[in-house]
Amino acid sequence: FNLESSFKLSRAYETVQARRAGLDGLRHIVQPYTNLSLVYNAGISPDNILQFDRVVPSTQLLPIDFPEFTAIDSIDSWAILRLGTRQRLQTRRVDSTHDWMTLDSFFDVNFENPYSDADVSNFFNIVTFSPVPWLNLAIRSQIPLVSEGFTEVDTRLYYTPVPQLSLGFGQAYIENNEYFANSTQTNFSAYWRINDHWAVSLYEQYAAPQNLFIYQNYMIHRDLSSWIASIGGQVRNNEGGPVEYGLLFMMTLKDAPQIAIPLAFDTGTDAAGPGASNF
């Protein structure tokens, strides 16, 4: 059983004009919402089922609607109420409506939750800020409301100073989670389109507590009309474990970038020298 409700309040501020900030008028929309999910498992307990599609540890709240909840082998009885408020600041851009800033704040009240011992979940805030086409900021954070909670902040900033160059900066912070160790990681990415046929990119991930780069990726891209061919290398440092090196080759369909044909060749290296290689 699922019951959802919401309503919207809005107000327009036509006098707000700031071209440098990407504002041509402003509209503020507030949408409080509730989602009550009740599930009763009248069949076999998940403890007696060989878990295949199961709930795995995650820092995010589980979906409480179907079919979004896909861990079918872990379905058990629950009664969860999700409360939240969505806010949007909208402006006009190129004869359409643009979300200048959004904020989604929510938390769960667990009347019965087989996947959490806390009566109340963390308090979540998801912020997106896109004032101009060449700048985009996204912040996903959660803070504890009860002793069972933990703290996490995930920040992403994308900046395009010129059309040929895209830069990305990010930081991920987590503390007091029972499944994941405390960590602060920073990442940097860059994509430079040299001309209509060639481009290069890099991605680096740095762990502050360990003072090391835990992942590095460097690629060369070639535009083949309908496809983009990419070749490059990667380096993984497993925080004191063996350093791993890899050679990557990928074909990406331009009209459907989620479709790619990857091929990777990894080489493990430890203190004794090069290890075995495998595809």
Side-chain angles (χ1 to χ4, degrees), residues 246-261:
L247 178 64
L248 304 175
F249 177 74
M250 180 178 296
M251 295 288 293
T252 305
L253 187 61
K254 292 174 65 175
D255 290 339
Q258 69 275 16
I259 301 176
I261 303 175

Side-chain angles (χ1 to χ4, degrees), residues 3 15 20 44 79 94 109 118 122 128 143 181 203 206 219 225 227 250-251 253 272:
L3 178 63
T15 58
R20 290 187 177 181
I44 302 174
V94 193
V109 178
N122 280 353
T128 64
I143 57 175
Y203 177 84
Y206 175 79
M219 303 287 288
S225 184
W227 292 79
M250 180 178 296
M251 295 288 293
L253 187 61

Side-chain angles (χ1 to χ4, degrees), residues 26-60:
L26 191 66
R27 178 170 61 187
H28 184 198
I29 301 175
V30 180
Q31 182 184 7
Y33 63 89
T34 64
N35 186 358
L36 176 63
S37 179
L38 303 175
V39 174
Y40 176 68
N41 180 14
I44 302 174
S45 170
D47 295 334
N48 298 322
I49 297 176
L50 179 62
Q51 298 289 301
F52 183 76
D53 293 320
R54 64 190 185 279
V55 171
V56 297
S58 172
T59 62
Q60 304 305 309

